[in-house]
Amino acid sequence: MESKASHSAGHLEEPIIPQNDIIEDDDAPMLSTYAMEALKEFLAEQNHSTIQESSAEVEEEEVALVTEDWRLSQFWYDRETAETVAKEVLTLCHSFDPPSVACIACPTLYAYLKYGSEFTFYDYNWPEDIPASLNHSFPIVVADPPYLSKECLEKVTQTISFLLRPGKSFLLLLTGEVQKDNAAELLGLHPCGFRPQHSSKLGNEFRLFTNYDPGTRLGGWEQEQ
């Protein structure tokens, strides 16, 4: 299921413009071409500096996202969850050259990964209405179905099968505890010890399921009782 950005203008020093570069007429004072170019250059430098300061502050705090909308079943991961899953995905990427990752309905993770720049419109009701060029193209797929129903997971499973590359591949599924049996039945997944959390503190307990044993990462596979 699946913004905050800080801004600091910093200290701006006024540019020094020689008085003889101001040309007056009967209407209003105008800057000469030389002075105008100097002013533009100054403002451009200040703007670049401000953007760098703002970007640094955002990175120190958290990745900015659009405001979530519960009516659209949008619930963003908290920072620890996003960073933990992103770290796992980046670890898996070392197994492929070049690596490629598909994020299905998990924009928080995509924002933290900043992996690639491609976005493809996706409606889980039409699970294979995806560009043919993406068919069996991803050795790593992460999915977070928007609803906690078997019907939704079944359709997302079709999308996963469409995207996942044959052979060695890794699948991570973030969904509710109530989907545990369905995740095992449809995708052969096992729950990990790590428990995903959302910034909105959802009432439903969420789990992370994988098709591979993460070892000591992600809390390992949960042992059957």
Side-chain angles (χ1 to χ4, degrees):
M1 289 187 180
E2 298 252 85
S3 154
K4 173 184 176 184
S6 59
H7 177 80
S8 173
H11 178 64
L12 299 180
E13 297 181 357
E14 295 183 357
I16 300 176
I17 302 175
Q19 293 297 316
N20 59 3
D21 279 325
I22 298 179
I23 303 173
E24 297 187 10
D25 57 20
D26 295 336
D27 296 322
M30 297 177 58
L31 295 178
S32 68
T33 301
Y34 170 80
M36 182 62 74
E37 291 301 319
L39 179 59
K40 288 181 179 179
E41 182 178 355
F42 170 81
L43 294 177
E45 291 176 353
Q46 291 297 331
N47 183 57
H48 179 68
S49 176
T50 299
I51 291 174
Q52 287 184 323
E53 293 175 5
S54 299
S55 299
E57 291 179 7
V58 169
E59 289 179 358
E60 291 177 358
E61 293 184 7
E62 59 182 299
V63 173
L65 292 165
V66 297
T67 303
E68 63 185 24
D69 187 342
W70 63 268
R71 294 169 300 181
L72 300 176
S73 194
Q74 293 178 341
F75 304 101
W76 306 153
Y77 307 141
D78 67 8
R79 181 171 181 171
E80 180 183 0
T81 296
E83 290 181 345
T84 298
V85 180
K87 182 179 179 180
E88 176 66 12
V89 170
L90 292 176
T91 297
L92 298 176
C93 283
H94 293 306
S95 300
F96 304 97
D97 184 22
S100 55
V101 180
C103 296
I104 304 174
C106 41
T108 315
L109 176 62
Y110 178 84
Y112 272 78
L113 285 173
K114 296 181 180 178
Y115 191 90
S117 59
E118 295 297 325
F119 170 80
T120 300
F121 179 81
Y122 169 69
D123 185 339
Y124 88 90
N125 291 295
W126 305 96
E128 295 186 2
D129 187 13
I130 302 172
S133 60
L134 301 181
N135 188 23
H136 297 160
S137 296
F138 300 93
I140 304 171
V141 173
V142 187
D144 187 340
Y147 300 106
L148 302 180
S149 66
K150 185 175 183 180
E151 176 266 348
C152 181
L153 183 56
E154 287 174 337
K155 290 181 177 178
V156 171
T157 295
Q158 288 182 254
T159 303
I160 292 172
S161 297
F162 181 90
L163 296 173
L164 206 59
R165 181 185 299 174
K168 182 180 180 180
S169 58
F170 299 104
L171 171 61
L172 296 86
L173 175 71
L174 294 98
T175 188
E177 168 77 26
V178 297
Q179 294 278 50
K180 181 178 179 179
D181 291 341
N182 293 330
E185 174 190 342
L186 296 171
L187 294 162
L189 305 183
H190 299 271
C192 296
F194 176 73
R195 304 296 177 106
Q197 300 294 326
H198 294 78
S199 57
S200 297
K201 310 301 180 185
L202 298 183
N204 297 312
E205 184 175 5
F206 261 66
R207 301 300 302 270
L208 171 58
F209 303 88
T210 64
N211 69 339
Y212 64 95
D213 186 350
T216 58
R217 304 189 307 273
L218 302 177
W221 267 352
E222 186 177 81
Q223 298 300 315
E224 295 293 336
Q225 298 297 327

